[in-house]
Amino acid sequence: MSDTSSNMVRALVLRELEAGKRDDGLWLQAMSQAKMDKAKAQVLYVELRTQAMQGDVKGLLIKQIRGAVAKDSGGVRLGNAGLAEYLSAKTLTSGKK
């Protein structure tokens, strides 16, 4: 992901923390890696939660793109290679009239 999207995800993590929300599994992982040092664990938690959210966002985007492609291509399901080829062809032909 780009730096801008990474910054946006970190801001979302900060908002979660300010609202008192925490992923207990990631917090446990952070505490374990920080050897139970709470200050270090907080820094690690932000990194771990940011990575997790970025993965979630990426997965949702891919799902939405695949759904749109399937709708546009008459319901044909494409794998990653087929999706890349389809998007490349669509980009090349969309500029032509």
Side-chain angles (χ1 to χ4, degrees):
M1 290 200 147
S2 71
D3 286 338
T4 302
S5 58
S6 294
N7 288 338
M8 289 172 31
V9 172
R10 279 192 288 275
L12 290 172
V13 171
L14 177 63
R15 285 192 184 95
E16 280 186 353
L17 291 172
E18 289 172 343
K21 295 180 183 176
R22 182 177 71 196
D23 181 308
D24 289 336
L26 289 178
W27 178 247
L28 180 62
Q29 182 180 348
M31 286 292 285
S32 175
Q33 288 178 0
K35 299 187 183 351
M36 303 308 285
D37 181 324
K38 197 170 184 178
K40 289 180 183 177
Q42 288 175 333
V43 173
L44 283 170
Y45 176 82
V46 171
E47 292 174 16
L48 292 169
R49 184 66 179 125
T50 299
Q51 290 171 3
M53 285 183 102
Q54 286 175 332
D56 292 346
V57 168
K58 184 177 179 182
L60 287 171
L61 288 173
I62 289 171
K63 186 176 178 180
Q64 287 182 335
I65 290 169
R66 283 194 173 136
V69 168
K71 184 178 176 183
D72 193 42
S73 64
V76 176
R77 290 188 54 90
L78 301 171
N80 287 340
L83 179 60
E85 290 173 15
Y86 175 84
L87 291 174
S88 292
K90 198 72 168 160
T91 302
L92 293 173
T93 59
S94 67
K96 298 178 182 177
K97 294 195 180 194

